[in-house]
Amino acid sequence: LDTSLKLARKWGADQKLVALTAALHDCAKNISEELMPVYGPMLGDFARYPAVRHAPLGAFYARDVFKIRDCRILEGICYHCTGRPAMPLEEKIVYLADALEPGRNYDGVERLRLLPESGASVKDGKEAAAAGRSSRRFGTMDASHAVSRRKTSSMPEPIEF
């Protein structure tokens, strides 16, 4: 949450929207398997990726349990692991903050953590984070699939809320 809010202030994003999205982004992380019977059929291609399916499950859970109706929040939760084309600023911030959080230890994360301090744009951060995250999240998928040039045959299709 701290990283998300810091980035929201730096890049002039809606801080309330970022705060709520960041607070809920992993709400289904530890209950994904329990939610699969209910929401699994709605996940489409996301169901094939156990490491990231908590994200769309969390969006459905936030909608139904926490009564979140703002699609910007639901989409931010849904795509915080994978990214997607044409992400709004607040969604990019949650995506990037998740990649930079203190618990991450993949190659290059320390360099990525310096981006917000360096004056880099959110686009630079998003693409750099995708490069660092993609192999960890999807195995053989390269970074170009995790940013706006994604190939729909390799990435989950969008989910409607």
Side-chain angles (χ1 to χ4, degrees):
L1 186 59
D2 291 340
T3 303
S4 293
L5 287 173
K6 182 178 180 180
L7 294 173
R9 283 190 294 275
K10 178 176 180 63
W11 288 319
D14 181 328
Q15 292 179 44
K16 288 181 182 178
L17 179 66
V18 168
L20 190 51
T21 305
L24 294 172
H25 81 281
D26 276 342
C27 67
K29 191 163 193 162
N30 296 318
I31 57 172
S32 291
E33 292 309 311
E34 292 87 351
L35 296 176
M36 283 300 288
V38 177
Y39 299 111
M42 294 182 268
L43 295 185
D45 291 340
F46 271 98
R48 298 184 324 183
Y49 301 106
V52 299
R53 68 179 168 212
H54 74 278
L57 286 169
F60 286 119
Y61 192 74
R63 181 193 69 186
D64 296 346
V65 173
F66 299 118
K67 306 300 183 203
I68 302 297
R69 297 294 180 250
D70 188 328
C71 282
R72 299 172 302 169
I73 295 168
L74 298 174
E75 290 170 348
I77 296 168
C78 184
Y79 299 105
H80 82 269
C81 290
T82 60
R84 65 179 178 138
M87 291 167 61
L89 177 61
E90 290 78 9
E91 201 171 306
K92 290 176 186 177
I93 287 170
V94 173
Y95 170 86
L96 180 58
D98 188 64
L100 302 178
E101 72 176 312
R104 303 282 184 222
N105 62 0
Y106 55 87
D107 287 340
V109 71
E110 292 303 324
R111 183 180 55 81
L112 290 177
R113 288 186 179 122
L114 298 174
L115 281 173
E117 305 303 323
S118 72
S121 71
V122 71
K123 180 177 183 260
D124 297 335
K126 178 184 167 225
E127 290 180 358
R133 296 171 73 146
S134 62
S135 61
R136 181 173 54 88
R137 300 279 182 163
F138 295 104
T140 61
M141 187 181 301
D142 69 33
S144 64
H145 294 126
V147 293
S148 62
R149 297 174 306 277
R150 76 182 176 113
K151 295 179 181 175
T152 56
S153 62
S154 298
M155 285 291 289
E157 290 297 315
I159 292 178
E160 301 260 339
F161 298 100

